[in-house]
Amino acid sequence: MNALETPETQPFLEAIHSTLPVLETHREASETARSAAPESIAALKQAGLSRLLSPALYGGHEAPIRAQLLACSETARACPATSWVMMVCGAHNWVAGSYSPQCREEIFGPDPELFVAGTLAAQGQFKKADGGWRLSGRWQFCSGVDHAPWLLVSAARPKDSSDGPNSVHAFIPRDQAQIDDTWFTLGMRGSGSKDIVLEDVFVPAHRVEPTGRLFNGASPHALDHASGLYVLPVASCLATQVGGCLLGMAREMLRLFIEKTRVRPDIYTGQGKGAKARSAGIQRRVAEASGEITTAELLLGRSCDILDAISASKTPTDLATQSRLRWQATYAAELCRRAVDRLFVGAGAHAAFDGEPLQRYYRDVMMATRHAMVDLDGTAEMEGKTLLGVEP
């Protein structure tokens, strides 16, 4: 049993595993279409995985973050891109639990199985308007936008204005946005993380939250629910979920490498089947990669322990704990990246061909670790300042 499998997450294992054959079958189609296959999204919904973090008031599981990590890590082994869409959109479903009852009813009422796409970075701008706000701008990396009827976006206050908070997060119907297909990338191609464009779109006040209190778990609606799931800090939780996806990708990369290396010959020495597996250098690569992946799993499990305690307290946590959670997720992601890089270097020239699974998982991990929530330099600086008592 790994750090993500506990009595609380055990009830979701059967549902998670039921999706894996479908995701694996449609992995190539997702890659080719540059968007998660409809069949894969349907399988996630049918298994109830779109509702893992949704409020119980609207038919969701309101499960602990650890359950989402378990789902992300297992599905990432079958299809990294579809797992990524489930992670990002499921996180947005979770954020919706901190919004007004009217907003929640609009989102979940018509379809509790929905996914909410979007992007949390403040890439657009807002203007105050009667009864709400008007948003304009372009938002990149909107994973799963093809499969989501609602979007969650962030906008900043213009520099020449003092009207309103520094930034807000708002829910808008997808049909109010233009989708610009810019998603031509090194990896994570099946995530369909296209741009969205808003041109002076009105958002009523009940679908808007100031970013500061939302990200710190201090929304006045966070305690409308039976659990304390919605007082958890947004950025730290999203980083942790990103780590869950990367953990699954790295595990699958290790499995594939071992499977191929056990029978791989050494063509230059003339040694036959299994020669590479007898190489001390290859053995060290496997051992180190396995250790890195296990350490990443333990770090993420430790983060889930902290998040469980915060949730149980139903009290927003302090900035030092948020920093620690971000750093643990980021370092777990970095360990997965190192493991995958170490294995790919030792996988030989054949691993570089298109259609080779080792190449696919390598590209996807390299792309996924570019996510801002697990940016190694920025997060390390933040945690270093926190530990040293330097004012951030």
Side-chain angles (χ1 to χ4, degrees):
M1 183 175 290
N2 64 45
L4 303 182
E5 292 185 31
T6 65
E8 290 74 26
T9 62
Q10 197 73 28
F12 300 105
L13 266 177
E14 184 177 349
I16 293 167
H17 289 158
S18 73
T19 69
L20 303 186
V22 179
L23 269 57
E24 187 170 359
T25 297
H26 295 282
R27 184 171 58 206
E28 289 292 335
S30 297
E31 176 93 353
T32 301
R34 295 178 297 105
S35 180
E39 295 86 351
S40 297
I41 296 297
L44 296 176
K45 291 182 177 181
Q46 185 176 355
L49 300 186
S50 62
R51 294 183 285 112
L52 273 176
L53 300 181
S54 298
L57 290 171
Y58 305 93
H61 292 296
E62 207 167 308
I65 295 294
R66 195 188 308 262
Q68 173 84 333
L69 259 71
L70 178 62
C72 290
S73 66
E74 291 298 302
T75 54
R77 302 185 72 163
C79 181
T82 302
S83 174
W84 187 266
V85 170
M86 181 186 72
M87 179 272 294
V88 171
C89 294
H92 297 158
N93 288 18
W94 164 66
V95 171
S98 293
Y99 278 67
S100 70
Q102 186 178 354
C103 177
R104 299 192 308 250
E105 183 60 38
E106 286 179 338
I107 293 171
F108 296 111
D111 179 16
E113 306 287 352
L114 91 165
F115 276 126
V116 175
T119 175
L120 295 182
Q123 300 175 55
Q125 289 193 330
F126 70 81
K127 294 187 296 184
K128 191 78 173 69
D130 289 342
W133 315 81
R134 305 200 75 89
L135 272 61
S136 298
R138 174 181 289 269
W139 286 259
Q140 295 181 299
F141 307 111
C142 192
S143 303
V145 66
D146 296 327
H147 307 287
W150 285 88
L151 306 174
L152 174 61
V153 299
S154 177
R157 186 182 66 207
K159 292 181 179 179
D160 59 356
S161 171
S162 59
D163 196 3
N166 290 332
S167 65
V168 298
H169 276 73
F171 282 96
I172 62 167
R174 188 185 67 182
D175 59 15
Q176 293 185 354
Q178 302 170 37
I179 301 174
D180 187 5
D181 186 2
T182 56
W183 194 241
F184 299 88
T185 57
L186 170 71
M188 299 303 295
R189 294 172 183 171
S191 68
S193 304
K194 304 167 184 176
D195 289 10
I196 57 172
V197 180
L198 301 182
E199 296 181 0
D200 198 34
V201 171
F202 175 73
V203 186
H206 70 268
R207 285 200 253 118
V208 177
E209 276 288 324
T211 298
R213 73 183 188 186
L214 177 69
F215 269 43
N216 287 314
S219 161
H221 307 290
L223 292 175
D224 291 351
H225 312 275
S227 74
L229 181 65
Y230 304 98
V231 304
L232 298 177
V234 170
S236 301
C237 281
L238 180 57
T240 305
Q241 292 171 61
V242 170
C245 284
L246 284 161
L247 178 64
M249 296 182 217
R251 280 178 175 160
E252 186 63 11
M253 181 81 169
L254 178 61
R255 186 194 70 80
L256 289 167
F257 183 89
I258 290 172
E259 180 183 80
K260 290 180 177 294
T261 305
R262 279 176 173 164
V263 296
R264 186 177 154 204
D266 189 326
I267 58 173
Y268 282 101
T269 65
Q271 297 180 58
K273 182 177 178 180
K276 284 293 186 181
R278 294 190 290 274
S279 160
I282 291 292
Q283 291 164 5
R284 179 171 177 171
R285 286 186 186 276
V286 169
E288 287 191 294
S290 177
E292 287 162 336
I293 294 167
T294 298
T295 303
E297 175 197 308
L298 293 172
L299 275 171
L300 293 172
R302 167 79 172 163
S303 292
C304 288
D305 292 340
I306 296 171
L307 292 169
D308 286 346
I310 298 168
S311 183
S313 74
K314 294 190 175 182
T315 303
T317 192
D318 57 90
L319 292 177
T321 301
Q322 293 184 41
S323 174
R324 188 186 324 143
L325 288 164
R326 281 284 298 279
W327 172 242
Q328 288 177 179
T330 298
Y331 198 64
E334 171 64 9
L335 288 170
C336 290
R337 187 203 64 78
R338 292 180 189 177
V340 164
D341 190 54
R342 184 188 313 283
L343 294 172
F344 192 73
V345 168
H350 286 92
F353 282 99
D354 286 346
E356 167 57 52
L358 284 169
Q359 189 222 64
R360 164 89 43 77
Y361 281 87
Y362 175 76
R363 287 190 290 105
D364 285 348
V365 167
M366 293 302 133
M367 186 72 185
T369 50
R370 303 281 74 76
H371 195 288
M373 287 297 173
V374 291
D375 172 66
L376 184 64
D377 294 335
T379 309
E381 180 183 358
M382 178 175 65
E383 178 64 355
K385 285 181 175 180
T386 300
L387 293 171
L388 291 166
V390 178
E391 184 177 353

